[in-house]
């Protein structure tokens, strides 16, 4: 591990001032991903600003029936919260499907959103990786790419985003509150937090240097049922090959609301509103679900070792929708 300075922020203003003084510093809370990357020499921040003591660990109902989640709420706390379990079971299911109990006790809401890919080549300093070292190439293209993305990729990077929680939050229309280094507050939709790789895969998100996530806000939940379905290589402590987060409402035999997000298949939690629109106003059926899967995977591109993900995504989506609507013809 490279030498670095350590600063424990006493309050939010101190943290932002420290970030303003050192734009190349990094915030740290649970550290479940950042510390691993530092040990491998992949991340080399000259200064860590510890925000673990800030007052960002509360959860509160919003006036419109939503939920505001402090950035330092741990994954374990979030999954177990009564309002989450009652109104957003999809989110609780997704969190409990990820990592281990020990990690969920340390990992924070804000940190979970910003965790970096688990691409084998990104974690191997001896391999070329445009996300780690721009311009060196992507060893996953033409290499061992079983876990890599099939949607939203580029010729420069095919790495997939690892978060389960973020997939659920994308389906739930989460918004992210941040503070800029000058103290100004900004609110952005979760999908606006992430960047597709394009020609700059080393830039994962749209946060400015020193911008601090302070909370995630969920709107009031849609009516209907929710489900998170994850397919992985083993039953615990494994990242998704494919995951589906879905919420669906059926009235008088007709689908009236639908939201779906997908994990393990793209560089960010993926959502396809065109596919959602195909479901609205329709009677649930296997044929309908197949058309929806066609729309989701229309632009999917495998790289040889991960070609199976296209079929797996289709089948997982259909199974999840069938689970939400019961037996359908």
């Amino acid at each position: 591990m490279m030498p670095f300075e350590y600063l424990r922020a006493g309050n939010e203003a101190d943290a932002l001032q420290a970030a303003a003084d050192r734009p190349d510093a990094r915030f740290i809370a649970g550290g479940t991903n950042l510390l691993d990357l530092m040990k491998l020499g992949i991340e080399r921040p000259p200064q860590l600003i510890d925000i673990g003591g800030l007052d960002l660990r509360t959860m509160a109902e919003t006036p419109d029936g939503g939920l505001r989640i402090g950035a330092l709420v741990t994954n374990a706390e979030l999954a177990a919260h009564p309002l989450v379990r009652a109104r957003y079971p999809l989110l609780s299911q997704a969190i409990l499907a990820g990592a281990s109990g020990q990690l969920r006790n340390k990992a924070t809401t804000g940190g979970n959103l910003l965790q970096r890919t688990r691409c084998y080549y990104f974690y191997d300093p001896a391999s070329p990786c445009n996300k780690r070292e721009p311009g060196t190439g992507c060893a996953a293209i033409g290499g061992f790419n079983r876990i890599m993305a099939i949607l939203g990729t580029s010729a420069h990077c095919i790495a997939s985003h690892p978060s389960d929680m973020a997939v659920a939050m994308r389906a739930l229309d989460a918004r992210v509150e941040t503070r800029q280094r000058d103290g100004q507050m900004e609110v952005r939709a979760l999908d606006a937090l992430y960047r597709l790789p394009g020609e700059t895969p080393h830039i994962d998100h749209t946060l400015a240097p020193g911008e601090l996530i302070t909370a995630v806000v969920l709107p009031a939940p849609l009516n209907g049922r929710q489900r998170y379905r994850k397919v992985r290589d083993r039953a615990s402590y494994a990242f998704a090959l494919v995951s589906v987060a879905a919420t669906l409402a059926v009235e008088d035999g007709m689908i009236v609301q639908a939201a779906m997000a997908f994990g393990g298949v793209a560089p960010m939690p993926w959502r396809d509103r065109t596919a959602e629109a195909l479901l609205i106003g329709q009677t649930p059926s296997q044929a309908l679900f197949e058309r929806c899967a066609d729309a989701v995977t229309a632009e999917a591109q495998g790289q040889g070792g991960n070609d199976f993900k296209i079929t797996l995504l289709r089948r997982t989506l259909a199974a999840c929708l069938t689970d939400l609507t019961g037996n359908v013809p």
Side-chain angles (χ1 to χ4, degrees):
M1 185 179 290
M2 302 293 291
F4 62 90
E5 297 177 4
Y6 172 82
L7 174 67
R8 178 175 293 174
N11 52 54
E12 195 173 307
D14 288 345
L16 294 172
Q17 183 59 56
D21 293 341
R22 293 290 298 271
D24 52 357
R26 293 288 302 275
F27 295 119
I28 187 170
T32 56
N33 185 210
L34 178 58
L35 290 178
D36 284 344
L37 294 172
M38 290 177 65
K39 291 174 184 177
L40 293 170
I42 296 168
E43 294 271 9
R44 299 183 179 185
Q47 184 183 62
L48 293 182
I49 303 170
D50 189 343
I51 60 171
L54 304 191
D55 186 19
L56 300 174
R57 288 194 64 166
T58 59
M59 286 185 276
E61 188 174 5
T62 61
D64 65 353
L67 184 65
R68 186 178 186 274
I69 305 159
L72 295 181
V73 171
T74 68
N75 286 181
E77 292 167 338
L78 183 56
H81 194 278
L83 282 179
V84 174
R85 295 177 65 183
R87 299 182 185 177
Y88 309 97
L90 159 65
L91 178 57
S92 184
Q93 292 164 14
I95 293 172
L96 294 175
S100 64
Q102 295 92 331
L103 286 173
R104 291 195 296 268
N105 284 335
K106 289 292 292 181
T108 61
T109 298
N112 188 299
L113 294 179
L114 298 179
Q115 62 180 302
R116 307 202 70 186
T117 183
R118 265 44 176 207
C119 171
Y120 315 119
Y121 300 104
F122 175 71
Y123 268 76
D124 179 12
S127 298
C129 173
N130 288 322
K131 185 175 283 292
R132 191 183 64 249
E133 295 183 52
T136 59
C138 176
I141 298 177
F144 186 63
N145 48 48
R146 185 171 184 272
I147 68 169
M148 305 306 173
I150 56 174
L151 292 165
T153 60
S154 76
H156 301 275
C157 182
I158 59 171
S160 58
H161 194 274
S163 176
D164 290 288
M165 184 196 80
V167 177
M169 286 189 166
R170 183 85 194 269
L172 294 169
D173 288 315
R175 303 187 307 277
V176 181
E177 294 182 0
T178 69
R179 290 283 180 184
Q180 304 277 353
R181 284 188 292 169
D182 60 5
Q184 293 295 311
M185 179 179 171
E186 181 172 326
V187 180
R188 50 166 70 83
L190 182 60
D191 61 339
L193 176 67
Y194 298 109
R195 290 170 52 109
L196 292 177
E199 297 183 354
T200 55
H202 59 292
I203 306 175
D204 292 340
H205 52 72
T206 60
L207 296 179
E211 188 175 0
L212 175 66
I213 293 178
T214 55
V216 176
V217 180
L218 300 177
L222 296 176
N223 295 325
R225 303 176 68 186
Q226 302 176 19
R227 191 75 76 244
Y228 186 74
R229 193 178 186 100
K230 178 177 181 178
V231 181
R232 47 189 164 175
D233 282 324
R234 56 184 183 274
S236 66
Y237 200 60
F239 295 100
L241 294 170
V242 164
S243 66
V244 177
T247 175
L248 209 66
V250 179
E251 294 181 6
D252 298 325
M254 198 90 62
I255 299 173
V256 295
Q257 291 180 320
M260 302 175 294
F262 309 96
V265 295
M268 61 189 287
W270 194 256
R271 188 162 175 181
D272 190 328
R273 295 183 187 274
T274 300
E276 294 172 3
L278 291 175
L279 298 174
I280 304 301
Q282 302 297 316
T283 301
S285 70
Q286 289 299 324
L288 174 64
F289 299 160
E290 288 174 7
R291 291 199 301 272
C292 180
D294 286 340
V296 171
T297 59
E299 297 184 5
Q301 182 178 2
Q303 295 288 335
N306 66 348
D307 291 353
F308 73 96
K309 281 193 174 188
I310 300 174
T311 300
L312 183 61
L313 175 56
R314 293 174 54 83
R315 291 178 176 174
T316 306
L317 173 57
C320 190
L321 294 176
T322 299
D323 191 28
L324 288 170
T325 56
N327 295 324
V328 295

